[in-house]
Amino acid sequence: MPPAPAVPIPRALVLGSTSVYRRELLSRLRLPFAVEPPHVDEDPLPGEAPAELARRLAAAKAAAVARLHPAAVVIGSDQVADLDGEPLGKPGNHANAVAQLRRMSGRTVVFQTALTVMCQESGFVQHDLAPVRVRFRALQDDEIEAYLRAEQPYDCAGSAKSEGLGIALLDAIDSDDPTALVGLPLIRTCRMLRAAGVSVF
C-alpha cells in the first residue's frame, strides 16, 4: 500500500507590530497569532514619498520579524498620512496633533497603508498598498481640542482616529478596503494569507 500523502503542517502566524489597533483588527479573523515588535527605524529617507515610505517600512517590519520566525507567516504593515506628497507621521504629543489637524482642515489627505506578508522558509512574499482618501471638514480650534482631549490619538498617523470621535472631523472616506484607515487592510490581508497557504476559515 502506498504511503499516505503528507499533510502540510499549518504555519504559525506572527504580526510584526507594536500597534494595538492592528492587533485588534487581526484578531477579527479569529486566527491564532503571536505578536513580535519589529524594531525598525521609521524615519523617512530624504525626499521619500509617503507611499514609498509606507511600503518600505511594511516590508522592513515583516523582514525583521521573519528573521526571528523563519518558519512562520509574518504580517508587516505601516501607515503614512500623505498631505500633498508630504508624509505626516504620528504626532507623539498634543501640540503636534493640533498642528497636524489645523493643516489638514478642509483638505483631502491620503492615508497610505502598506502591507507585506512573507514566510522566509517557503520564500513567499507579497506586498500591497491600500490608499484611503479622507476629506476633512473645515475644523474649528475648539473641535480639534475636544477631539484630542477625548481620543488622545498621539500614536495615530496624522492624528486621525476614525474608529472613534475622529469620524466627526470628516466629510468623506474613499476606500476599497474599509479597515485600512484604522491600520490593517483586512481584505488584502485575507487575500495574501490565502496565497501564503493560511486558511482563514
Side-chain angles (χ1 to χ4, degrees):
M1 178 180 295
V7 177
I9 299 172
R11 293 189 181 275
L13 181 62
V14 181
L15 175 64
S17 180
T18 58
S19 167
V20 295
Y21 311 111
R22 292 191 179 99
R23 184 182 306 189
E24 188 277 328
L25 287 170
L26 187 58
S27 70
R28 296 183 190 183
L29 301 183
R30 303 187 182 189
L31 293 170
F33 67 93
V35 178
E36 182 78 51
H39 303 299
V40 168
D41 181 358
E42 299 190 19
D43 289 337
L45 300 175
E48 190 171 28
E52 294 313 307
L53 172 60
R55 287 180 185 273
R56 178 175 63 81
L57 293 180
K61 290 175 181 180
V65 173
R67 286 191 290 270
L68 300 175
H69 303 275
V73 173
V74 175
I75 298 170
S77 185
D78 193 79
Q79 183 180 81
V80 178
D82 181 346
L83 180 60
D84 297 333
E86 178 187 344
L88 300 180
K90 301 169 185 174
N93 60 50
H94 188 85
N96 290 342
V98 169
Q100 284 187 342
L101 289 168
R102 283 176 175 168
R103 291 188 63 198
M104 295 188 294
S105 174
R107 302 174 71 180
T108 295
V109 180
V110 181
F111 286 80
Q112 306 282 6
T113 306
L115 177 68
T116 293
V117 174
M118 68 169 53
C119 175
Q120 185 169 296
E121 190 174 84
S122 71
F124 176 87
V125 60
Q126 281 191 2
H127 310 279
D128 208 343
L129 185 71
V132 182
R133 294 178 60 83
V134 176
R135 191 168 72 245
F136 283 79
R137 294 172 41 246
L139 305 175
Q140 304 300 315
D141 280 352
D142 59 343
E143 294 178 313
I144 291 173
E145 191 67 23
Y147 160 68
L148 293 177
R149 294 297 179 193
E151 292 288 1
Q152 300 184 21
Y154 309 130
D155 60 347
C156 298
S159 308
K161 195 172 182 181
S162 63
E163 66 272 31
L165 184 58
I167 199 72
L169 305 178
L170 310 181
D171 266 337
I173 298 173
D174 182 16
S175 173
D176 65 358
D177 207 331
T179 60
L181 185 55
V182 184
L184 186 67
L186 285 180
I187 292 175
R188 285 167 171 80
T189 300
C190 289
R191 181 186 305 142
M192 293 162 75
L193 289 178
R194 288 193 297 268
V198 176
S199 174
V200 177
F201 291 99

